[in-house]
Amino acid sequence: MSFFGFGQSAELELVLSDAESRRRVEHKTEEGKKEKYFLFYDGETVSGRVVLTLKHLNKRLEHQGIKVEFIGQIELYYDRGNHHEFVSLVKDLARPGEFTQSQTFDFEFTHVEKPYESYTGQNVKLRYFLRATVSRRLNDVVKEMDIVVHTLSTYPELNSSIKMEVGIEDCLHIEFEYNKSKYHLKDVIVGKIYFLLVRIKIKHMEIDIIKRETTGTGPNVYHENDTIAKYEIMDGAPVRGESIPIRLFLAGYELTPTMRDINKKFSVRYYLNLVLIDEEERRYFKQQEVVLWRKGDIVRKSMSHQAAIASQRFEGTSSHTEAKTPSQPAENNGRQ
């Protein structure tokens, strides 16, 4: 290929201007591996440089222009040909011409809106990346660099507890209570289960955290349930009047914030699933949705000034919208 002049005669590299000081976080790849990426927040400026290195000295590189893009896109795995872009910014770095030596180009995308959290799931991927392109007549030279975005939120003080009664007539009647309906990702779920009537022989009880990923619309809707955690809260038969405490620490599990109707493409919701198993291996369960959110107070101390402003702006809108429906999940489940 190189002999005929079709091979790549140049290499591109993307370097962030604050690469040495910017925090890096682990994020799951499509293959299920964990890799470290630079972390950004909504409203932060993304700046750096594109380094163009010529592979062959004393050889010209003709091009039709050089550009750098900042892209946020959603890719549905069952529709891989279509990438749904919700952020697309372009900076032209050089007009058409030719190079005889390596070059460096600075770029800056100021106060970039990054409305959604980076996410890699079973059927969908939401990613942000920089892409530098040297346009050529036959084959472009392209370099991409992924980043990770975290969305920060605060919720109003009104965070109602969840209290429900469930059971089977004349056999089992229990009441369970969780201290809140919204939890941040490092929170602790505290609750109690009261046995009001026990006429079946229960041998085991557990609480599961279930992640439900919903992708697509209309007839092409896919639901994917993933059990994130199983937590045993009782082993042995309970008696009437007994109270079982629950204390479940979320920090040890791989969780994301709750995502609702992201760009009308997908949702990620979390449920607490209370499971009772009797001596004949019959299972009784009740699901209850809880809202998970990423707390920004600790992170903000190390964030730049512009990121702090952006997170406050996001929190302001978030608190207004969430304040309207603080107890909605509990009401919906109560009707089941």
Side-chain angles (χ1 to χ4, degrees), residues 8 10-14 50-52 66-69 71 127 129-136 139-145:
Q8 287 198 352
E11 285 184 348
L12 285 174
E13 185 184 5
L14 283 159
V50 176
V51 181
L52 173 72
I66 300 175
K67 65 180 179 181
V68 62
E69 300 165 271
I71 295 171
R127 64 186 282 241
F129 61 98
L130 288 162
R131 181 166 61 203
T133 306
V134 178
S135 300
R136 303 197 67 202
N139 57 330
D140 293 347
V141 183
V142 180
K143 179 70 174 179
E144 291 185 355
M145 175 182 168

Side-chain angles (χ1 to χ4, degrees), residues 175-192:
E175 181 181 279
F176 65 86
E177 182 177 3
Y178 303 122
N179 62 329
K180 293 185 282 190
S181 56
K182 302 180 178 76
Y183 296 90
H184 62 77
L185 298 183
K186 306 294 183 185
D187 218 334
V188 183
I189 296 174
V190 178
K192 279 186 179 179

Side-chain angles (χ1 to χ4, degrees), residues 37 80 82 122 255 265 294:
Y37 299 92
R80 284 189 179 270
N82 293 320
Q122 303 274 0
L255 301 167
K265 293 292 183 290
R294 187 180 296 282

Side-chain angles (χ1 to χ4, degrees), residues 312-330:
Q312 288 165 8
R313 171 165 59 83
F314 180 79
E315 289 165 4
T317 57
S318 153
S319 60
H320 286 308
T321 54
E322 287 298 328
K324 295 176 185 174
T325 56
S327 58
Q328 193 173 358

